[in-house]
Amino acid sequence: MSPIRFTHALVRSPSPSVVDGLRAIDGPDPDFDCFVAEHGEYCLALERAGLAVEMMAELPAFADAVFVEDAALCIGNHAVVLRPGAPSRAGEADAIQLDLSSRFRTMETVADGCVDGGDILVTASEIIVGRSARTNSAGVMALAAAARPSGMPLRSVDTPVDVLHLKTDCAIIDEGTIFSTRRLAASGCFEEYNVILCPDGEEPAANLIRVNDVVIMRTGFPETTALLESNGYQVDLVQADEAALVDGGLSCMSLRCAW
Ligand code: CIR
């Protein structure tokens, strides 16, 4: 199964409650209209990369529901409903189950602990799960069981302390290459892969997504853009400053699927 080739993306419209989204450090609220505009640009970038974008209904009761990646994992025709680790996000799992059940051939549910999709990196050969403040050992074990129909082995690592999710700091950018911050790669968790290090000082750029022939990354990180282009990657830039105000990045606003 290729970790970079997709046909569809599932996204969720932001609802006005997104201005109350969780954030690790107190800061300004996002502007709702700007958030909607940036989300629209993000969807267009996914379409430019060749995906059919399917919009799931907004969930006004859940401020962070636009970050759909944290509630589910999709591998080919198998979906896993996760157990988001933030108490205010737990109910997103039931909601997304309805969206997924009609779209995937098989579906399992993580039955114990907690695990956020932001802590799950799927490569060509394995599922790497980062234990974090949102993903615990019980969740990792339950995920291993729920992901078994995908046929992919699962390995757990540690998300760096004070980093929200594993994929806050890394992304798969081709079949055997991971783009990673220095602090995460230093743990040795990517020894089996080629690693391209994110330029120091541009760590927020590490949460990028490879979608078919394109790397989609945030505007505002020129060294990262130049580095990727010099390595032969085609880069598409998207502004995601409003999502960043509530600790969101590019990976978390869609579920990329290959059907
Ligand atoms: C949260 O703290 O849960 C949201 N405000 C941001 C979630 C971002 N998710 C992700 O990077 N996978």
Side-chain angles (χ1 to χ4, degrees):
M1 179 89 43
S2 167
I4 59 170
R5 315 251 23 132
F6 305 101
T7 57
H8 291 71
L10 304 181
V11 302
R12 194 181 294 291
S13 340
S15 63
S17 61
V18 74
V19 302
D20 298 320
L22 295 173
R23 64 211 80 173
I25 298 170
D26 235 357
D29 294 344
D31 176 277
F32 177 62
D33 292 332
C34 293
F35 198 114
V36 169
E38 289 187 354
H39 190 262
E41 290 300 321
Y42 173 77
C43 293
L44 289 175
L46 293 172
E47 288 180 356
R48 281 195 295 277
L51 304 192
V53 175
E54 296 189 11
M55 188 71 71
M56 300 184 283
E58 64 182 83
L59 294 176
F62 297 97
D64 288 295
V66 68
F67 303 121
V68 290
E69 175 185 69
D70 292 320
L73 171 68
C74 306
I75 304 181
N77 251 302
H78 183 60
V80 177
V81 179
L82 302 174
R83 277 166 77 96
S88 66
R89 303 196 61 187
E92 291 176 37
D94 288 341
I96 208 160
Q97 187 156 354
L98 297 173
D99 293 300
L100 301 181
S101 58
S102 57
R103 292 177 162 100
F104 288 82
R105 207 172 297 147
T106 56
M107 188 170 79
E108 300 273 347
T109 298
V110 170
D112 195 12
C114 54
V115 53
D116 271 17
D119 280 315
I120 305 173
L121 180 71
V122 178
T123 77
S125 56
E126 61 178 340
I127 301 169
I128 305 175
V129 191
R131 285 177 296 261
S132 71
R134 299 286 181 89
T135 296
N136 59 21
S137 297
V140 172
M141 279 179 62
L143 173 64
R148 207 161 286 137
S150 73
M152 301 277 282
L154 183 145
R155 173 166 68 101
S156 61
V157 301
D158 286 315
T159 296
V161 176
D162 293 334
V163 171
L164 177 59
H165 288 127
L166 181 71
K167 281 187 298 190
T168 304
D169 268 30
C170 68
I172 186 97
I173 50 172
D174 64 40
E175 304 279 340
T177 307
I178 290 174
F179 186 74
S180 174
T181 60
R182 191 180 298 278
R183 64 190 170 203
L184 175 57
S187 70
C189 62
F190 299 136
E191 271 170 2
E192 307 298 313
Y193 297 86
N194 305 319
V195 174
I196 297 180
L197 287 179
C198 181
D200 293 335
E202 293 203 353
E203 284 76 8
N207 181 261
L208 45 78
I209 48 176
R210 170 74 191 263
V211 183
N212 297 332
D213 297 333
V214 183
V215 172
I216 304 176
M217 63 164 285
R218 286 179 61 192
T219 52
F221 300 95
E223 285 185 42
T224 302
T225 306
L227 175 66
L228 291 170
E229 287 179 341
S230 70
N231 276 276
Y233 295 97
Q234 183 188 332
V235 175
D236 196 359
L237 294 171
V238 167
Q239 187 167 329
D241 297 349
E242 300 303 316
L245 291 173
V246 282
D247 299 346
L250 296 185
S251 73
C252 55
M253 290 193 286
S254 62
L255 289 164
R256 280 86 55 206
C257 312
W259 291 331

